[in-house]
Every structure is written in C-alpha cells, then in structure tokens.
C-alpha cells in the first residue's frame, strides 16, 4: 500500500510539473559591451595600423558584433519561453574565474527540480557541419573553417561551475552535486548538417527558435518514474533558486572590455598576465613611436584639445571625470599628451 501511495504521489507530481507553465525569473541580463565596440570602431580610424593589425581588428570586430547579436537573439527566445511562471531563474552572460580557470557561460537557467541548463550561443547564419567524430566545421560567406566543439566547451564550463557551486554550498538536498544539462543554440537561419544519431548524438545542438520544442522533448525524456522521484526529492522553492542565482551573480567577473593583444597596445606597456584557460595574446611587435590607440584618442579630441586641457572631460569618450582623475593626467603630461582621460581610458596609455 505504501509503495502504491508513493507511486500515486509521484504520478501526481509528474502531471503537475508537466502541466504547470514553465516560467522565468530573470536575474541578470547581458553586460553592456558598447565600450569595447566603440573602442574597436574608433581604432579603425588610426592611420598607423599595419596589415596584421588591420586584419585582426576587422576579424575581431566582426566576431564581436556577431557574438553580441547571437546572445541577444538567444536571450530573446529564452525570455519569451519562460516568461510569466515560477519554476526557473535565468541569468545571461556570466563569467567565473575559479583558481585561475575561466568559465564564460552565455546563458544559465536554474530549474527548481531538474538542475541547471548551460547554454552556448554560436551565431552562424551560414552552415554548420558536425561529422561522425563530433568535430564542428562552420561555413560563412564562402569561408570554411573548423571550430572548437561548443559541447566540449560547455562541459569544461560545467567542471569549473561545479567547483564554484561546491565552494558556495549550492547542492541538491541529498548533498549530491547539481545536475547540469548542455545545449548549443545557433542562429534560426543556420543550416545544420548532422551525422546519424546512433553515431554521434547532436540532439542538444538546435536553432534558437526551436528551444520550446527541445525543452518539451527533454522533459518528456528525462521525467520518468525515477526522474520524477528524484525531482520531488530535490525540488527547491523559487526563493531558494533565486538566492542561488544572486550568489552566482556576485561571483561574476566581467572581462576587461578595453583589453587588447600586445601587438595592438602602446609600445612599452607591460602585457596583462593571462588567466589560465583564456587565449594567450600574440607576442608584442614594434608598431612605431606612436600607438594606434594613442592616435585614436588624440583624434577623438579633434580641434578641441586646447579647450579640453584643464576641463574635467575625458578626451576619448567625452564623459565627465573626477578631479583626481584629471589631476593624475595633468601630473603625467608626457604620458597623456596634456589631455585628461577617465580611469578606464587611462589604461590605454
């Protein structure tokens, strides 16, 4: 009788979770990346760029714009799908640094019972091919190139995330680590060429607008009797998962939006120590007596360099600055050319 009652209760819970409208509590939106976009766009105006720098800048600007748009599109579909309910907490654009290892998670969804979804966004409007070995090849504008597996990338992020969760004391009621589920979302117009599912399963690689269908199928496949029992045991209140989300938000460590590879930085500036897990910049090269960044900053002031000489206005972005910021620049006239800059743009010199 007890077993039958338990099965009946689990069946009720299962029907309840299948019928309840999935929804979202949006805790974090994507960071504002306009400063880096502005920097890359302004840097193109420099007459001092060599061929290598121009190529890097053009490619970086294209990747950066596509990345922003891809994350924005995916966030839109996720927010619309989960809007209005009480079972999920959603965070966009998270970057964690744990013991020197970096995890950049495009979208993190915390479910009250299932665990966490780690979602990678890849904005390829062209085609994506996945072979029998799980190797990814992208084709865009007649350019075909291999790319790292976003599935493996997400799994690496999971390992770093779980170390952080352990440190923060975030776990299932049983003390076990939180289950993580991986998903790769592509542009709705992307063409995906897949291997047979029996050889390499790509069911977790979808177009962004297919998320509702994928999520419904995922729930159907995951929630059986055993899955429902596990979910009931581990289900948390919305307040609890919100608290978890807020704890993770406090661990967010945004990247330096004004950071550039050594060969794009002013000559003589010490290279920023690389964080383990991030791409190492190319070796520094001599780019002349005046750097492109310095040239762009000077150009941005135009013919107003003299009027700006003692005004509390950044000569690069025209924002107001504090007196200590201005005084620092005035006391270092050789470094800043007699102009003044906000603290963020002082780092460019």
């Amino acid at each position: 009788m007890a077993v039958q009652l338990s099965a009946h209760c689990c069946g009720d819970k299962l029907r309840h979770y299948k019928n309840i409208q999935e929804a979202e509590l949006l805790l974090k939106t994507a960071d504002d990346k306009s400063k880096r976009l502005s920097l890359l766009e302004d840097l193109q105006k420099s007459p001092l760029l060599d061929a290598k720098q121009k190529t890097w800048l053009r490619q970086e600007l294209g990747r950066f714009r596509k990345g922003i748009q891809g994350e924005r599109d995916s966030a839109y579909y996720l927010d619309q799908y989960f809007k209005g309910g009480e079972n999920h907490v959603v965070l966009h654009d998270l970057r964690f640094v744990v013991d020197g290892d970096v995890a950049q998670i495009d979208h993190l969804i915390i479910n009250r019972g299932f665990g966490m979804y780690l979602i990678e966004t890849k904005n390829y409007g062209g085609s994506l091919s996945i072979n029998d070995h799980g190797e990814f090849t992208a084709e865009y504008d007649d350019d075909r190139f291999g790319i790292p597996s976003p599935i493996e990338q997400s799994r690496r992020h999971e390992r770093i995330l779980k170390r952080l969760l352990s440190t923060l004391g975030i776990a299932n009621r049983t003390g076990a680590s939180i289950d993580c589920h991986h998903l790769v979302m592509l542009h709705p117009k992307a063409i995906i060429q897949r291997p047979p599912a029996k050889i390499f399963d790509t069911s977790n690689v979808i177009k962004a607008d297919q998320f509702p269908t994928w999520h419904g199928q995922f729930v159907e496949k995951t929630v059986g009797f055993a899955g429902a029992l596990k979910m009931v045991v581990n289900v948390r209140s919305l307040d609890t998962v919100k608290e978890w989300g807020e704890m993770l938000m406090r661990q967010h460590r945004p990247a330096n939006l004004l950071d550039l590879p050594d060969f794009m930085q002013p000559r003589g500036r010490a290279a920023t120590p690389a964080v383990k897990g991030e791409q190492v910049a190319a070796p520094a090269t001599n780019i002349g007596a005046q750097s492109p960044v310095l040239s762009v900053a000077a150009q941005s002031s135009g013919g107003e360099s003299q009027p700006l000489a003692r005004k509390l206005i950044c000569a690069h972005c025209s924002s107001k600055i504090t007196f200590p910021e201005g005084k620092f620049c005035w006391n270092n006239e050789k470094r800043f050319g007699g102009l003044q800059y906000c603290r963020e743009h002082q780092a460019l010199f």
Side-chain angles (χ1 to χ4, degrees):
M1 176 65 73
V3 174
Q4 291 178 346
L5 181 59
S6 176
H8 178 71
C9 292
C10 287
D12 288 344
K13 288 287 187 179
L14 174 60
R15 284 188 292 273
H16 172 72
Y17 274 93
K18 285 185 176 180
N19 291 332
I20 193 169
Q21 181 181 0
E22 300 288 348
E24 164 208 37
L25 176 61
L26 177 60
L27 284 188
K28 183 183 181 301
T29 58
D31 292 349
D32 180 9
K33 300 180 176 65
S34 59
K35 288 186 178 180
R36 182 166 185 80
L37 191 60
S38 177
L39 173 64
L40 296 175
E41 291 173 343
D42 287 347
L43 196 52
Q44 290 188 115
K45 303 173 185 177
S46 172
L48 302 177
L49 296 172
D50 60 27
K52 179 181 179 181
Q53 293 164 342
K54 290 179 180 178
T55 298
W56 178 87
L57 187 59
R58 182 178 65 255
Q59 294 175 347
E60 176 67 11
L61 189 56
R63 286 192 297 264
F64 195 68
R65 284 172 174 163
K66 289 178 183 177
I68 292 176
Q69 188 60 49
E71 291 179 14
R72 186 178 298 155
D73 291 344
S74 294
Y76 169 80
Y77 287 109
L78 293 171
D79 293 345
Q80 288 297 310
Y81 178 68
F82 287 123
K83 186 176 182 179
E86 54 185 16
N87 289 320
H88 297 83
V89 167
V90 177
L91 302 99
H92 301 298
D93 190 16
L94 289 167
R95 182 178 181 271
F96 303 125
V97 180
V98 182
D99 298 328
D101 293 320
V102 177
Q104 178 75 51
I105 301 174
D106 294 334
H107 315 278
L108 179 67
I109 303 174
I110 308 176
N111 179 275
R112 291 178 54 201
F114 284 125
M116 297 184 179
Y117 302 91
L118 280 71
I119 301 178
E120 286 291 318
T121 293
K122 300 299 177 184
N123 191 24
Y124 297 114
S127 63
L128 181 74
S129 300
I130 310 171
N131 66 18
D132 295 353
H133 302 286
E135 299 167 341
F136 287 69
T137 302
E139 186 172 346
Y140 192 83
D141 290 341
D142 297 326
D143 188 14
R144 184 178 174 85
F145 49 94
I147 62 171
S149 167
I151 298 175
E152 294 301 325
Q153 180 183 11
S154 186
R155 287 171 179 163
R156 287 193 295 272
H157 293 167
E158 175 190 350
R159 291 192 287 271
I160 298 172
L161 174 63
K162 283 194 171 181
R163 280 153 52 191
L164 178 59
L165 296 178
S166 177
T167 300
L168 297 175
I170 297 176
N172 285 326
R173 290 185 182 278
T174 58
S177 62
I178 300 290
D179 292 335
C180 291
H181 313 288
H182 303 278
L183 183 66
V184 179
M185 294 177 65
L186 306 176
H187 191 281
K189 293 184 179 180
I191 300 173
I192 307 175
Q193 300 178 10
R194 308 172 184 270
K198 292 183 179 180
I199 297 179
F200 186 80
D201 183 15
T202 62
S203 59
N204 59 343
V205 180
I206 66 171
K207 298 182 181 182
D209 57 344
Q210 294 178 315
F211 181 80
T213 299
W214 176 88
H215 188 255
Q217 293 173 347
F218 172 82
V219 172
E220 287 290 337
K221 182 173 64 175
T222 304
V223 182
F225 175 78
L229 182 59
K230 181 178 180 180
M231 181 177 63
V232 170
V233 170
N234 289 313
V235 69
R236 298 282 190 160
S237 69
L238 184 61
D239 287 339
T240 297
V241 294
K242 179 184 176 183
E243 181 182 353
W244 288 354
E246 291 171 343
M247 292 170 66
L248 291 172
M249 284 177 58
R250 291 192 288 271
Q251 297 300 316
H252 174 54
R253 300 292 182 266
N256 181 6
L257 296 178
L258 301 180
D259 192 32
L260 294 169
D262 289 345
F263 62 85
M264 295 294 294
Q265 293 179 4
R267 187 177 62 175
R269 178 185 174 188
T272 302
V275 178
K276 186 169 62 173
E278 292 190 312
Q279 185 176 2
V280 179
T285 60
N286 189 340
I287 59 176
Q290 187 181 27
S291 73
V293 175
L294 180 59
S295 176
V296 169
Q299 291 174 18
S300 67
S301 65
E304 300 180 0
S305 57
Q306 292 303 320
L308 283 174
R310 287 297 183 267
K311 289 185 178 180
L312 295 177
I313 298 175
C314 177
H316 183 86
C317 64
S318 299
S319 63
K320 293 183 179 180
I321 62 176
T322 63
F323 179 76
E325 288 174 323
K327 185 178 179 181
F328 177 75
C329 294
W330 304 332
N331 291 339
N332 293 272
E333 183 174 352
K334 185 176 180 179
R335 174 180 174 184
F336 298 105
L339 300 177
Q340 59 282 319
Y341 299 88
C342 62
R343 192 177 304 276
E344 291 178 331
H345 290 111
Q346 288 174 8
L348 296 174
F349 299 90

